[in-house]
Amino acid sequence: MQIKNLKKTYNKKGTSPVFALRDLTFTLPERGLVFIVGRSGSGKSTLLNLLSGLDSADEGRILLGDTDLCKLSPSQLDAYRNSCCGFVFQEYDLIPELNVEDNIALALEMQGQKDSHDEVCSVLERVGLKGYEKRKVLEMSGGQKQRVAIARAIVKDPKIVFADEPTGSLDRATGEDIFLLLKELSKDRLVIVVSHDTDSAQKYGDRVIELEDGRIIRDSSPCDTKVSRSPLPAQWKRSKLPLKTAIKIGCSNFKYHPIRMIATIVLAVIAFSLLGFAINASFIDPTSVTADALLKNDPPYFILKKVNAVDDPNFTADKFFGDSGKIEEATTITKADIDALRSNYPSKIYPVKEIFVNAVQLSIVADADQLNKAYELMPDVYFATTINGFIALSEEDIYKLGYSMKGRLPLNADEIAIEETLVDSFKIAGLREDGKIYPITNSEDVIGHKIDVGVLGNIPHVANLKTVTGIIDTGCSLSEREQNHYFTKVSAYENCAKFHEKVYVTENFFDEWDLCICESTKNKKSMTAFVSSVFDQMKEEEYFKLQHDSIDGLYGMIPSIVVYRHLFAYVAIIVFIIAFVFLVNFVATSMRSQTEQIGILSALGADFKQLVKIYLCGALILGLAIFALSVIGTAVSATVFDYSIIKMYGNQLHMISFDPIMLVILCSMIAFTVVLGTILPILRIRKYSPVEKINLGRIK
Ligand code: ADP
């Protein structure tokens, strides 16, 4: 190694420049123990740092064969240290997270070597620490630590070992042992030792160079032998680090601030769970929520009613919180409405007129006593003496609904069909028509008679007589009612009960109807499209509204969902910013406290990429933990929210679905945060040389 006109000056703002090295020229042999001595501040460490590529010179040349170290880029210097140099520092600079074996193996791993156990054992034997492989470095004495450092320096068989005050922290006897060991090692390599201990230098050194004020004032045996060719930079290996080691060192980063780490994780998890919840909430889609609730429902019917929304003259509420300021008034459904609904929907739609048809009593009640007796005889049996409305059914519908029929369905507005339940009353009391009473023995006996389907109330009553053409058995006839109570049977049908106690008529019986019974479809796409088309109409003055137990309370919620969706989105952004700042700050602080370790790793030859890998691994694992906990937090909050709504309204509206997009957003945001928290501090200290990094880390 030839050193020519080497100069290094430290310029610090506000102070006069310090000439640490002034024009040094000398040559170092390929092997032997060379001591650099001198008083404190004479420039020894500066010289060592320049020779080992830990720092860069201002002027001059350091020739290794044909290669001038002063002309190399920082990453080439990293490769030079990785391939050619071993280091022994005064403070040992071992990595406390790794045990003895791993500390030593690190030097080999950085060169891409995987299995290094045998080499580590043999080098430990060489430094007198056989059997210490699994020891934690923190549990060792100073002398032992320095031996581990020496083992780490020589395990990769470097051409040069640099030792900066290697005995500075050791007692005299231990120091002597270390010098002996270095002397031994210098038989087949160059060992350069910086020391202020001139006695030991004289005793062990093959050559002693003394510095004073940045100049060589003595050199015990100057040599100017031509230095043989050293390996070219192209053969120097760039550092590589196995993922396992990177994770181990990276994760150890956070343990220095355990309380702060727990607080940060808790805060980040709360914030990101809230963010996840807010993202989920901002995805709430009333259409699919409604469609899902209806699809899940069995038996599969829901009701459509039409309303007319008019401005509420007394409206004072705040529109922001969802009140539309309208009053909804029920309105009738026309034939055209029904046609339009049917064109949008693949399943059956039955028009219904809800009128209390009590005039039918006039046709039944031939003898009230007879009916009363029947009630007494069969107290558990229900007899219909009124009807609650009209429904338009086709023959196909009757069989689809599982009903059976005697006679036929009405063909025009003068004809009707009635339910077997009503016929039972005629069987007991007889049927009155035109003042005459006809006994009814079989259901068919009613067919052909006219019965009154008007509303009693007007005086005098005007009869609305229609001819019965058919009797429909809906499964609630007398024979069945004896076994199954009518109401139990009917209530078991839930919405299906809407088909009972009706007069069955043709669709042209009325021009306008009150509601539609819609058969649910099992087809999600059709149901969603239908619900969506119903909701779309809500912008207009007249629109349909869906009714079903499973979606109770829905219409009260829709306006607030729209408002809260936006609100949640804003909350999410604010919360994310808070979580972001905390997390970046935590990762960055942890990183800063590791500046010294970063310096040690770069001194060992780890280049920028390896440093990023190490610290990114740690940060990503932290991020992964936060992500996993936040996903759980989001799921819990979403479920609690979901079930409280379901409990509150007794419906089936699962408002929040666990959207995979939420996972992607959450994951990217956490990753972005931790990556930024890692990269920023590394970038900040990137400009410093390894020595400066170590010093920066030690100053704190
Ligand atoms: P030694 O190792 O012999 O004690 P150094 O090489 O550490 O001496 O320092 C040589 C001179 O350079 C000293 O005056 C010291 O104060 C100065 N010096 C060393 N490092 C720096 C630095 N990073 N910034 C400014 N001055 C420095």
Side-chain angles (χ1 to χ4, degrees), residues 301-306 333-335 337-339 341-342 348-354 391 498-499 507 513-519 530 544-547:
Y301 295 95
F302 60 92
I303 306 292
L304 265 183
K305 279 191 175 168
K306 196 175 178 189
I333 300 170
T334 64
K335 182 97 187 70
D337 286 333
I338 296 168
D339 288 345
L341 287 172
R342 282 180 177 153
K348 282 299 306 183
I349 292 179
Y350 307 94
V352 172
K353 188 86 175 173
E354 285 189 310
I391 182 163
K498 295 269 178 201
F499 292 97
E507 275 202 38
W513 301 80
D514 293 329
L515 58 93
C516 289
I517 298 178
C518 303
E519 188 185 63
F530 183 66
F544 281 98
K545 287 183 86 169
L546 298 158
Q547 267 187 10

Side-chain angles (χ1 to χ4, degrees), residues 10 12 18 20 38-47 194 692 695:
Y10 293 107
K12 256 198 177 161
V18 179
R39 276 204 225 117
S40 181
S42 57
K44 305 181 294 291
S45 300
T46 305
L47 176 60
V194 159
E692 287 167 324
N695 290 339

Side-chain angles (χ1 to χ4, degrees), residues 11 19 68 89 143 152 165 179 234 274 289 333 391 581 653:
N11 290 303
F19 300 101
D68 185 355
F89 300 100
R152 179 180 65 183
E165 300 280 5
F179 281 134
L274 202 63
V289 167
I333 300 170
I391 182 163
V581 170
L653 292 168

Side-chain angles (χ1 to χ4, degrees), residues 624-667:
L624 206 67
I626 291 174
F627 174 65
L629 292 171
S630 305
V631 170
I632 296 171
T634 306
V636 169
S637 54
T639 313
V640 168
F641 178 81
D642 227 28
Y643 280 93
S644 36
I645 289 221
I646 286 171
K647 213 169 160 203
M648 205 187 314
Y649 291 92
N651 58 27
Q652 288 297 317
L653 292 168
H654 289 278
M655 285 292 173
I656 297 196
S657 57
F658 214 58
D659 206 303
I661 298 173
M662 182 279 300
L663 292 182
V664 175
I665 297 179
L666 207 61
C667 184

Side-chain angles (χ1 to χ4, degrees), residues 578-699:
I578 297 171
F580 176 82
V581 170
F582 265 83
L583 206 53
V584 166
N585 181 40
F586 172 70
V587 176
T589 314
S590 306
M591 292 283 311
R592 263 200 293 282
S593 59
Q594 294 299 291
T595 313
E596 183 183 350
Q597 191 161 311
I598 295 174
I600 297 170
L601 287 165
S602 17
L604 293 179
D607 59 17
F608 183 67
K609 240 167 74 184
Q610 301 309 317
L611 292 179
V612 171
K613 184 171 166 184
I614 289 171
Y615 293 99
L616 217 48
C617 276
L620 285 178
I621 284 172
L622 178 77
L624 206 67
I626 291 174
F627 174 65
L629 292 171
S630 305
V631 170
I632 296 171
T634 306
V636 169
S637 54
T639 313
V640 168
F641 178 81
D642 227 28
Y643 280 93
S644 36
I645 289 221
I646 286 171
K647 213 169 160 203
M648 205 187 314
Y649 291 92
N651 58 27
Q652 288 297 317
L653 292 168
H654 289 278
M655 285 292 173
I656 297 196
S657 57
F658 214 58
D659 206 303
I661 298 173
M662 182 279 300
L663 292 182
V664 175
I665 297 179
L666 207 61
C667 184
S668 342
M669 283 187 160
I670 294 174
F672 173 69
T673 310
V674 293
V675 168
L676 204 73
T678 314
I679 299 285
L680 284 180
I682 297 188
L683 281 180
R684 191 182 63 88
I685 57 168
R686 191 189 186 181
K687 60 176 187 284
Y688 297 113
S689 69
V691 181
E692 287 167 324
K693 282 179 203 153
I694 296 176
N695 290 339
L696 214 66
R698 284 200 179 134
I699 287 164

